[in-house]
PDB file of all heavy atoms in Angstrom:
ATOM      1  N   LYS A  16     188.627  72.897  85.201  1.00  0.00           N
ATOM      2  CA  LYS A  16     188.610  72.862  83.740  1.00  0.00           C
ATOM      3  C   LYS A  16     190.025  72.631  83.211  1.00  0.00           C
ATOM      4  O   LYS A  16     190.998  73.086  83.805  1.00  0.00           O
ATOM      5  CB  LYS A  16     188.041  74.169  83.194  1.00  0.00           C
ATOM      6  CG  LYS A  16     186.579  74.398  83.562  1.00  0.00           C
ATOM      7  CD  LYS A  16     186.077  75.729  83.030  1.00  0.00           C
ATOM      8  CE  LYS A  16     184.622  75.947  83.409  1.00  0.00           C
ATOM      9  NZ  LYS A  16     184.109  77.245  82.910  1.00  0.00           N
ATOM     10  N   VAL A  17     190.106  71.919  82.097  1.00  0.00           N
ATOM     11  CA  VAL A  17     191.409  71.643  81.500  1.00  0.00           C
ATOM     12  C   VAL A  17     191.280  71.718  79.985  1.00  0.00           C
ATOM     13  O   VAL A  17     190.309  71.220  79.399  1.00  0.00           O
ATOM     14  CB  VAL A  17     191.949  70.263  81.952  1.00  0.00           C
ATOM     15  CG1 VAL A  17     190.961  69.154  81.639  1.00  0.00           C
ATOM     16  CG2 VAL A  17     193.299  69.970  81.323  1.00  0.00           C
ATOM     17  N   LEU A  18     192.229  72.385  79.349  1.00  0.00           N
ATOM     18  CA  LEU A  18     192.214  72.547  77.897  1.00  0.00           C
ATOM     19  C   LEU A  18     192.977  71.395  77.249  1.00  0.00           C
ATOM     20  O   LEU A  18     194.130  71.118  77.612  1.00  0.00           O
ATOM     21  CB  LEU A  18     192.847  73.887  77.514  1.00  0.00           C
ATOM     22  CG  LEU A  18     192.719  74.316  76.048  1.00  0.00           C
ATOM     23  CD1 LEU A  18     191.246  74.452  75.652  1.00  0.00           C
ATOM     24  CD2 LEU A  18     193.465  75.621  75.813  1.00  0.00           C
ATOM     25  N   LEU A  19     192.325  70.743  76.282  1.00  0.00           N
ATOM     26  CA  LEU A  19     192.880  69.552  75.638  1.00  0.00           C
ATOM     27  C   LEU A  19     192.962  69.739  74.132  1.00  0.00           C
ATOM     28  O   LEU A  19     192.148  70.449  73.531  1.00  0.00           O
ATOM     29  CB  LEU A  19     192.004  68.327  75.918  1.00  0.00           C
ATOM     30  CG  LEU A  19     191.715  67.966  77.365  1.00  0.00           C
ATOM     31  CD1 LEU A  19     190.640  66.886  77.433  1.00  0.00           C
ATOM     32  CD2 LEU A  19     192.984  67.498  78.064  1.00  0.00           C
ATOM     33  N   LEU A  20     193.933  69.052  73.524  1.00  0.00           N
ATOM     34  CA  LEU A  20     194.037  68.958  72.074  1.00  0.00           C
ATOM     35  C   LEU A  20     193.985  67.489  71.710  1.00  0.00           C
ATOM     36  O   LEU A  20     194.752  66.685  72.245  1.00  0.00           O
ATOM     37  CB  LEU A  20     195.357  69.574  71.593  1.00  0.00           C
ATOM     38  CG  LEU A  20     195.643  69.483  70.091  1.00  0.00           C
ATOM     39  CD1 LEU A  20     194.637  70.332  69.308  1.00  0.00           C
ATOM     40  CD2 LEU A  20     197.073  69.943  69.788  1.00  0.00           C
ATOM     41  N   GLY A  21     193.087  67.108  70.820  1.00  0.00           N
ATOM     42  CA  GLY A  21     193.014  65.693  70.482  1.00  0.00           C
ATOM     43  C   GLY A  21     191.880  65.400  69.509  1.00  0.00           C
ATOM     44  O   GLY A  21     191.150  66.297  69.104  1.00  0.00           O
ATOM     45  N   VAL A  22     191.713  64.163  69.113  1.00  0.00           N
ATOM     46  CA  VAL A  22     192.565  63.039  69.499  1.00  0.00           C
ATOM     47  C   VAL A  22     193.803  63.049  68.601  1.00  0.00           C
ATOM     48  O   VAL A  22     193.712  63.339  67.415  1.00  0.00           O
ATOM     49  CB  VAL A  22     191.827  61.697  69.327  1.00  0.00           C
ATOM     50  CG1 VAL A  22     192.698  60.548  69.756  1.00  0.00           C
ATOM     51  CG2 VAL A  22     190.504  61.656  70.027  1.00  0.00           C
ATOM     52  N   LEU A  23     194.967  62.678  69.142  1.00  0.00           N
ATOM     53  CA  LEU A  23     196.220  62.740  68.397  1.00  0.00           C
ATOM     54  C   LEU A  23     196.783  61.340  68.156  1.00  0.00           C
ATOM     55  O   LEU A  23     196.612  60.438  68.965  1.00  0.00           O
ATOM     56  CB  LEU A  23     197.228  63.586  69.170  1.00  0.00           C
ATOM     57  CG  LEU A  23     196.781  65.015  69.512  1.00  0.00           C
ATOM     58  CD1 LEU A  23     197.851  65.709  70.351  1.00  0.00           C
ATOM     59  CD2 LEU A  23     196.464  65.821  68.264  1.00  0.00           C
ATOM     60  N   GLY A  24     197.492  61.192  67.046  1.00  0.00           N
ATOM     61  CA  GLY A  24     198.170  59.931  66.753  1.00  0.00           C
ATOM     62  C   GLY A  24     197.284  58.919  66.053  1.00  0.00           C
ATOM     63  O   GLY A  24     196.087  59.103  65.882  1.00  0.00           O
ATOM     64  N   ASN A  25     197.923  57.829  65.633  1.00  0.00           N
ATOM     65  CA  ASN A  25     197.227  56.818  64.826  1.00  0.00           C
ATOM     66  C   ASN A  25     196.664  55.649  65.628  1.00  0.00           C
ATOM     67  O   ASN A  25     195.707  55.005  65.224  1.00  0.00           O
ATOM     68  CB  ASN A  25     198.156  56.284  63.734  1.00  0.00           C
ATOM     69  CG  ASN A  25     199.431  55.659  64.296  1.00  0.00           C
ATOM     70  OD1 ASN A  25     199.715  55.748  65.492  1.00  0.00           O
ATOM     71  ND2 ASN A  25     200.216  55.026  63.438  1.00  0.00           N
ATOM     72  N   GLY A  26     197.246  55.311  66.758  1.00  0.00           N
ATOM     73  CA  GLY A  26     196.777  54.177  67.548  1.00  0.00           C
ATOM     74  C   GLY A  26     197.287  52.837  67.053  1.00  0.00           C
ATOM     75  O   GLY A  26     197.922  52.729  65.997  1.00  0.00           O
ATOM     76  N   PHE A  27     197.003  51.792  67.834  1.00  0.00           N
ATOM     77  CA  PHE A  27     197.422  50.433  67.488  1.00  0.00           C
ATOM     78  C   PHE A  27     196.448  49.800  66.495  1.00  0.00           C
ATOM     79  O   PHE A  27     195.233  50.035  66.571  1.00  0.00           O
ATOM     80  CB  PHE A  27     197.481  49.563  68.744  1.00  0.00           C
ATOM     81  CG  PHE A  27     198.656  49.843  69.644  1.00  0.00           C
ATOM     82  CD1 PHE A  27     198.498  50.587  70.797  1.00  0.00           C
ATOM     83  CD2 PHE A  27     199.917  49.342  69.339  1.00  0.00           C
ATOM     84  CE1 PHE A  27     199.566  50.845  71.640  1.00  0.00           C
ATOM     85  CE2 PHE A  27     201.003  49.592  70.171  1.00  0.00           C
ATOM     86  CZ  PHE A  27     200.823  50.349  71.327  1.00  0.00           C
ATOM     87  N   PRO A  28     196.951  48.956  65.579  1.00  0.00           N
ATOM     88  CA  PRO A  28     196.079  48.254  64.629  1.00  0.00           C
ATOM     89  C   PRO A  28     195.438  47.042  65.307  1.00  0.00           C
ATOM     90  O   PRO A  28     195.833  45.891  65.077  1.00  0.00           O
ATOM     91  CB  PRO A  28     197.044  47.840  63.518  1.00  0.00           C
ATOM     92  CG  PRO A  28     198.355  47.640  64.222  1.00  0.00           C
ATOM     93  CD  PRO A  28     198.376  48.642  65.341  1.00  0.00           C
ATOM     94  N   VAL A  29     194.442  47.283  66.138  1.00  0.00           N
ATOM     95  CA  VAL A  29     193.846  46.233  66.969  1.00  0.00           C
ATOM     96  C   VAL A  29     193.284  45.098  66.128  1.00  0.00           C
ATOM     97  O   VAL A  29     193.331  43.930  66.523  1.00  0.00           O
ATOM     98  CB  VAL A  29     192.745  46.842  67.864  1.00  0.00           C
ATOM     99  CG1 VAL A  29     192.057  45.764  68.692  1.00  0.00           C
ATOM    100  CG2 VAL A  29     193.343  47.900  68.788  1.00  0.00           C
ATOM    101  N   ASN A  30     192.759  45.402  64.944  1.00  0.00           N
ATOM    102  CA  ASN A  30     192.164  44.361  64.097  1.00  0.00           C
ATOM    103  C   ASN A  30     193.182  43.294  63.709  1.00  0.00           C
ATOM    104  O   ASN A  30     192.806  42.144  63.438  1.00  0.00           O
ATOM    105  CB  ASN A  30     191.559  44.982  62.839  1.00  0.00           C
ATOM    106  CG  ASN A  30     192.592  45.707  61.976  1.00  0.00           C
ATOM    107  OD1 ASN A  30     193.353  46.531  62.478  1.00  0.00           O
ATOM    108  ND2 ASN A  30     192.614  45.420  60.692  1.00  0.00           N
ATOM    109  N   GLU A  31     194.475  43.635  63.690  1.00  0.00           N
ATOM    110  CA  GLU A  31     195.492  42.655  63.311  1.00  0.00           C
ATOM    111  C   GLU A  31     195.726  41.615  64.398  1.00  0.00           C
ATOM    112  O   GLU A  31     196.405  40.616  64.172  1.00  0.00           O
ATOM    113  CB  GLU A  31     196.804  43.353  62.955  1.00  0.00           C
ATOM    114  CG  GLU A  31     196.713  44.171  61.680  1.00  0.00           C
ATOM    115  CD  GLU A  31     198.075  44.477  61.094  1.00  0.00           C
ATOM    116  OE1 GLU A  31     199.029  43.702  61.334  1.00  0.00           O
ATOM    117  OE2 GLU A  31     198.192  45.503  60.402  1.00  0.00           O
ATOM    118  N   ALA A  32     195.173  41.846  65.589  1.00  0.00           N
ATOM    119  CA  ALA A  32     195.306  40.880  66.677  1.00  0.00           C
ATOM    120  C   ALA A  32     194.235  39.801  66.632  1.00  0.00           C
ATOM    121  O   ALA A  32     194.310  38.816  67.383  1.00  0.00           O
ATOM    122  CB  ALA A  32     195.247  41.601  68.018  1.00  0.00           C
ATOM    123  N   ASP A  33     193.260  39.941  65.750  1.00  0.00           N
ATOM    124  CA  ASP A  33     192.154  38.987  65.692  1.00  0.00           C
ATOM    125  C   ASP A  33     192.650  37.569  65.452  1.00  0.00           C
ATOM    126  O   ASP A  33     193.388  37.302  64.495  1.00  0.00           O
ATOM    127  CB  ASP A  33     191.178  39.375  64.578  1.00  0.00           C
ATOM    128  CG  ASP A  33     190.415  40.654  64.889  1.00  0.00           C
ATOM    129  OD1 ASP A  33     190.481  41.114  66.041  1.00  0.00           O
ATOM    130  OD2 ASP A  33     189.754  41.178  63.975  1.00  0.00           O
ATOM    131  N   GLY A  34     192.259  36.662  66.335  1.00  0.00           N
ATOM    132  CA  GLY A  34     192.587  35.249  66.173  1.00  0.00           C
ATOM    133  C   GLY A  34     194.035  34.890  66.415  1.00  0.00           C
ATOM    134  O   GLY A  34     194.456  33.767  66.131  1.00  0.00           O
ATOM    135  N   LYS A  35     194.821  35.803  66.960  1.00  0.00           N
ATOM    136  CA  LYS A  35     196.254  35.566  67.139  1.00  0.00           C
ATOM    137  C   LYS A  35     196.646  35.568  68.615  1.00  0.00           C
ATOM    138  O   LYS A  35     195.956  36.131  69.452  1.00  0.00           O
ATOM    139  CB  LYS A  35     197.056  36.643  66.400  1.00  0.00           C
ATOM    140  CG  LYS A  35     196.854  36.619  64.890  1.00  0.00           C
ATOM    141  CD  LYS A  35     197.636  37.733  64.214  1.00  0.00           C
ATOM    142  CE  LYS A  35     197.404  37.718  62.701  1.00  0.00           C
ATOM    143  NZ  LYS A  35     198.107  38.834  62.033  1.00  0.00           N
ATOM    144  N   GLN A  36     197.781  34.910  68.896  1.00  0.00           N
ATOM    145  CA  GLN A  36     198.384  34.995  70.223  1.00  0.00           C
ATOM    146  C   GLN A  36     199.142  36.315  70.298  1.00  0.00           C
ATOM    147  O   GLN A  36     200.014  36.595  69.476  1.00  0.00           O
ATOM    148  CB  GLN A  36     199.344  33.827  70.459  1.00  0.00           C
ATOM    149  CG  GLN A  36     200.020  33.829  71.819  1.00  0.00           C
ATOM    150  CD  GLN A  36     199.056  33.591  72.962  1.00  0.00           C
ATOM    151  OE1 GLN A  36     198.179  32.736  72.865  1.00  0.00           O
ATOM    152  NE2 GLN A  36     199.200  34.338  74.033  1.00  0.00           N
ATOM    153  N   VAL A  37     198.799  37.131  71.276  1.00  0.00           N
ATOM    154  CA  VAL A  37     199.312  38.493  71.342  1.00  0.00           C
ATOM    155  C   VAL A  37     200.208  38.666  72.561  1.00  0.00           C
ATOM    156  O   VAL A  37     199.848  38.259  73.667  1.00  0.00           O
ATOM    157  CB  VAL A  37     198.149  39.514  71.427  1.00  0.00           C
ATOM    158  CG1 VAL A  37     198.694  40.931  71.396  1.00  0.00           C
ATOM    159  CG2 VAL A  37     197.151  39.281  70.303  1.00  0.00           C
ATOM    160  N   PHE A  38     201.380  39.265  72.347  1.00  0.00           N
ATOM    161  CA  PHE A  38     202.234  39.702  73.444  1.00  0.00           C
ATOM    162  C   PHE A  38     202.165  41.232  73.494  1.00  0.00           C
ATOM    163  O   PHE A  38     202.423  41.900  72.481  1.00  0.00           O
ATOM    164  CB  PHE A  38     203.697  39.289  73.230  1.00  0.00           C
ATOM    165  CG  PHE A  38     204.022  37.873  73.614  1.00  0.00           C
ATOM    166  CD1 PHE A  38     203.035  36.946  73.918  1.00  0.00           C
ATOM    167  CD2 PHE A  38     205.348  37.450  73.673  1.00  0.00           C
ATOM    168  CE1 PHE A  38     203.348  35.639  74.267  1.00  0.00           C
ATOM    169  CE2 PHE A  38     205.682  36.150  74.020  1.00  0.00           C
ATOM    170  CZ  PHE A  38     204.669  35.240  74.308  1.00  0.00           C
ATOM    171  N   LEU A  39     201.821  41.765  74.658  1.00  0.00           N
ATOM    172  CA  LEU A  39     201.873  43.198  74.882  1.00  0.00           C
ATOM    173  C   LEU A  39     203.028  43.505  75.821  1.00  0.00           C
ATOM    174  O   LEU A  39     203.178  42.843  76.849  1.00  0.00           O
ATOM    175  CB  LEU A  39     200.562  43.701  75.498  1.00  0.00           C
ATOM    176  CG  LEU A  39     199.265  43.405  74.740  1.00  0.00           C
ATOM    177  CD1 LEU A  39     198.082  44.035  75.465  1.00  0.00           C
ATOM    178  CD2 LEU A  39     199.331  43.897  73.298  1.00  0.00           C
ATOM    179  N   PHE A  40     203.836  44.496  75.474  1.00  0.00           N
ATOM    180  CA  PHE A  40     204.973  44.898  76.293  1.00  0.00           C
ATOM    181  C   PHE A  40     204.808  46.359  76.696  1.00  0.00           C
ATOM    182  O   PHE A  40     204.535  47.221  75.849  1.00  0.00           O
ATOM    183  CB  PHE A  40     206.286  44.774  75.517  1.00  0.00           C
ATOM    184  CG  PHE A  40     206.721  43.369  75.229  1.00  0.00           C
ATOM    185  CD1 PHE A  40     206.322  42.723  74.075  1.00  0.00           C
ATOM    186  CD2 PHE A  40     207.557  42.699  76.113  1.00  0.00           C
ATOM    187  CE1 PHE A  40     206.735  41.431  73.798  1.00  0.00           C
ATOM    188  CE2 PHE A  40     207.988  41.408  75.850  1.00  0.00           C
ATOM    189  CZ  PHE A  40     207.575  40.764  74.696  1.00  0.00           C
ATOM    190  N   GLY A  41     205.005  46.637  77.985  1.00  0.00           N
ATOM    191  CA  GLY A  41     204.959  48.007  78.452  1.00  0.00           C
ATOM    192  C   GLY A  41     206.058  48.262  79.459  1.00  0.00           C
ATOM    193  O   GLY A  41     206.340  47.415  80.315  1.00  0.00           O
ATOM    194  N   GLY A  42     206.675  49.425  79.367  1.00  0.00           N
ATOM    195  CA  GLY A  42     207.723  49.785  80.307  1.00  0.00           C
ATOM    196  C   GLY A  42     207.494  51.167  80.873  1.00  0.00           C
ATOM    197  O   GLY A  42     207.261  52.118  80.112  1.00  0.00           O
ATOM    198  N   GLY A  43     207.514  51.291  82.208  1.00  0.00           N
ATOM    199  CA  GLY A  43     207.360  52.598  82.836  1.00  0.00           C
ATOM    200  C   GLY A  43     206.064  53.272  82.445  1.00  0.00           C
ATOM    201  O   GLY A  43     204.991  52.676  82.487  1.00  0.00           O
ATOM    202  N   ILE A  44     206.152  54.521  82.015  1.00  0.00           N
ATOM    203  CA  ILE A  44     204.957  55.277  81.663  1.00  0.00           C
ATOM    204  C   ILE A  44     204.408  54.844  80.304  1.00  0.00           C
ATOM    205  O   ILE A  44     203.374  55.366  79.840  1.00  0.00           O
ATOM    206  CB  ILE A  44     205.250  56.798  81.719  1.00  0.00           C
ATOM    207  CG1 ILE A  44     203.956  57.553  82.067  1.00  0.00           C
ATOM    208  CG2 ILE A  44     205.911  57.290  80.452  1.00  0.00           C
ATOM    209  CD1 ILE A  44     203.346  57.196  83.398  1.00  0.00           C
ATOM    210  N   GLY A  45     205.038  53.861  79.671  1.00  0.00           N
ATOM    211  CA  GLY A  45     204.486  53.235  78.468  1.00  0.00           C
ATOM    212  C   GLY A  45     203.462  52.165  78.800  1.00  0.00           C
ATOM    213  O   GLY A  45     202.837  51.598  77.898  1.00  0.00           O
ATOM    214  N   ILE A  46     203.256  51.895  80.076  1.00  0.00           N
ATOM    215  CA  ILE A  46     202.283  50.877  80.496  1.00  0.00           C
ATOM    216  C   ILE A  46     200.839  51.347  80.348  1.00  0.00           C
ATOM    217  O   ILE A  46     199.977  50.580  79.906  1.00  0.00           O
ATOM    218  CB  ILE A  46     202.586  50.423  81.938  1.00  0.00           C
ATOM    219  CG1 ILE A  46     203.904  49.636  81.967  1.00  0.00           C
ATOM    220  CG2 ILE A  46     201.438  49.580  82.507  1.00  0.00           C
ATOM    221  CD1 ILE A  46     204.411  49.347  83.375  1.00  0.00           C
ATOM    222  N   PRO A  47     200.475  52.592  80.710  1.00  0.00           N
ATOM    223  CA  PRO A  47     199.074  53.004  80.671  1.00  0.00           C
ATOM    224  C   PRO A  47     198.316  52.727  79.374  1.00  0.00           C
ATOM    225  O   PRO A  47     197.183  52.230  79.427  1.00  0.00           O
ATOM    226  CB  PRO A  47     199.152  54.503  80.990  1.00  0.00           C
ATOM    227  CG  PRO A  47     200.322  54.594  81.923  1.00  0.00           C
ATOM    228  CD  PRO A  47     201.329  53.623  81.359  1.00  0.00           C
ATOM    229  N   PRO A  48     198.871  52.997  78.181  1.00  0.00           N
ATOM    230  CA  PRO A  48     198.066  52.736  76.979  1.00  0.00           C
ATOM    231  C   PRO A  48     197.747  51.261  76.747  1.00  0.00           C
ATOM    232  O   PRO A  48     196.848  50.934  75.969  1.00  0.00           O
ATOM    233  CB  PRO A  48     198.923  53.302  75.839  1.00  0.00           C
ATOM    234  CG  PRO A  48     200.294  53.418  76.394  1.00  0.00           C
ATOM    235  CD  PRO A  48     200.139  53.677  77.853  1.00  0.00           C
ATOM    236  N   LEU A  49     198.471  50.364  77.432  1.00  0.00           N
ATOM    237  CA  LEU A  49     198.195  48.942  77.262  1.00  0.00           C
ATOM    238  C   LEU A  49     196.841  48.549  77.842  1.00  0.00           C
ATOM    239  O   LEU A  49     196.247  47.555  77.414  1.00  0.00           O
ATOM    240  CB  LEU A  49     199.285  48.097  77.932  1.00  0.00           C
ATOM    241  CG  LEU A  49     200.714  48.199  77.384  1.00  0.00           C
ATOM    242  CD1 LEU A  49     201.578  47.111  77.993  1.00  0.00           C
ATOM    243  CD2 LEU A  49     200.741  48.127  75.866  1.00  0.00           C
ATOM    244  N   LEU A  50     196.346  49.308  78.822  1.00  0.00           N
ATOM    245  CA  LEU A  50     195.070  48.941  79.433  1.00  0.00           C
ATOM    246  C   LEU A  50     193.933  49.048  78.423  1.00  0.00           C
ATOM    247  O   LEU A  50     193.148  48.099  78.243  1.00  0.00           O
ATOM    248  CB  LEU A  50     194.797  49.811  80.655  1.00  0.00           C
ATOM    249  CG  LEU A  50     193.503  49.484  81.413  1.00  0.00           C
ATOM    250  CD1 LEU A  50     193.474  48.034  81.863  1.00  0.00           C
ATOM    251  CD2 LEU A  50     193.333  50.417  82.616  1.00  0.00           C
ATOM    252  N   TYR A  51     193.828  50.169  77.746  1.00  0.00           N
ATOM    253  CA  TYR A  51     192.764  50.312  76.755  1.00  0.00           C
ATOM    254  C   TYR A  51     192.991  49.364  75.577  1.00  0.00           C
ATOM    255  O   TYR A  51     192.030  48.829  75.006  1.00  0.00           O
ATOM    256  CB  TYR A  51     192.695  51.764  76.281  1.00  0.00           C
ATOM    257  CG  TYR A  51     191.424  52.107  75.525  1.00  0.00           C
ATOM    258  CD1 TYR A  51     190.214  51.502  75.834  1.00  0.00           C
ATOM    259  CD2 TYR A  51     191.436  53.059  74.508  1.00  0.00           C
ATOM    260  CE1 TYR A  51     189.051  51.821  75.154  1.00  0.00           C
ATOM    261  CE2 TYR A  51     190.275  53.397  73.824  1.00  0.00           C
ATOM    262  CZ  TYR A  51     189.089  52.778  74.154  1.00  0.00           C
ATOM    263  OH  TYR A  51     187.936  53.105  73.477  1.00  0.00           O
ATOM    264  N   LEU A  52     194.245  49.133  75.233  1.00  0.00           N
ATOM    265  CA  LEU A  52     194.568  48.203  74.154  1.00  0.00           C
ATOM    266  C   LEU A  52     194.103  46.791  74.496  1.00  0.00           C
ATOM    267  O   LEU A  52     193.438  46.125  73.693  1.00  0.00           O
ATOM    268  CB  LEU A  52     196.076  48.215  73.884  1.00  0.00           C
ATOM    269  CG  LEU A  52     196.606  47.214  72.856  1.00  0.00           C
ATOM    270  CD1 LEU A  52     195.934  47.401  71.510  1.00  0.00           C
ATOM    271  CD2 LEU A  52     198.127  47.343  72.729  1.00  0.00           C
ATOM    272  N   ALA A  53     194.439  46.319  75.697  1.00  0.00           N
ATOM    273  CA  ALA A  53     194.045  44.974  76.113  1.00  0.00           C
ATOM    274  C   ALA A  53     192.527  44.838  76.212  1.00  0.00           C
ATOM    275  O   ALA A  53     191.953  43.807  75.843  1.00  0.00           O
ATOM    276  CB  ALA A  53     194.700  44.622  77.446  1.00  0.00           C
ATOM    277  N   LYS A  54     191.873  45.894  76.710  1.00  0.00           N
ATOM    278  CA  LYS A  54     190.407  45.874  76.797  1.00  0.00           C
ATOM    279  C   LYS A  54     189.773  45.831  75.410  1.00  0.00           C
ATOM    280  O   LYS A  54     188.746  45.181  75.199  1.00  0.00           O
ATOM    281  CB  LYS A  54     189.904  47.113  77.545  1.00  0.00           C
ATOM    282  CG  LYS A  54     190.184  47.102  79.035  1.00  0.00           C
ATOM    283  CD  LYS A  54     189.602  48.332  79.725  1.00  0.00           C
ATOM    284  CE  LYS A  54     188.079  48.279  79.753  1.00  0.00           C
ATOM    285  NZ  LYS A  54     187.527  49.380  80.588  1.00  0.00           N
ATOM    286  N   THR A  55     190.382  46.517  74.455  1.00  0.00           N
ATOM    287  CA  THR A  55     189.845  46.552  73.094  1.00  0.00           C
ATOM    288  C   THR A  55     190.036  45.210  72.389  1.00  0.00           C
ATOM    289  O   THR A  55     189.148  44.752  71.665  1.00  0.00           O
ATOM    290  CB  THR A  55     190.519  47.683  72.288  1.00  0.00           C
ATOM    291  OG1 THR A  55     190.350  48.924  72.975  1.00  0.00           O
ATOM    292  CG2 THR A  55     189.907  47.804  70.907  1.00  0.00           C
ATOM    293  N   ILE A  56     191.182  44.576  72.607  1.00  0.00           N
ATOM    294  CA  ILE A  56     191.405  43.242  72.033  1.00  0.00           C
ATOM    295  C   ILE A  56     190.398  42.255  72.618  1.00  0.00           C
ATOM    296  O   ILE A  56     189.839  41.400  71.916  1.00  0.00           O
ATOM    297  CB  ILE A  56     192.848  42.769  72.294  1.00  0.00           C
ATOM    298  CG1 ILE A  56     193.837  43.665  71.523  1.00  0.00           C
ATOM    299  CG2 ILE A  56     193.037  41.308  71.885  1.00  0.00           C
ATOM    300  CD1 ILE A  56     195.293  43.410  71.857  1.00  0.00           C
ATOM    301  N   ALA A  57     190.164  42.360  73.926  1.00  0.00           N
ATOM    302  CA  ALA A  57     189.096  41.615  74.619  1.00  0.00           C
ATOM    303  C   ALA A  57     189.178  40.103  74.431  1.00  0.00           C
ATOM    304  O   ALA A  57     188.162  39.445  74.251  1.00  0.00           O
ATOM    305  CB  ALA A  57     187.724  42.146  74.177  1.00  0.00           C
TER     306      ALA A  57
END
């Protein structure tokens, strides 16, 4: 079992990527959130 607090923060404005060429940048432990972001942009 693990105790969690969430969901926290505002997140990326994914809708603003619609129809656009998108560059995603991730460095080190900043890479993990890009996976869900890229999947959401789809």
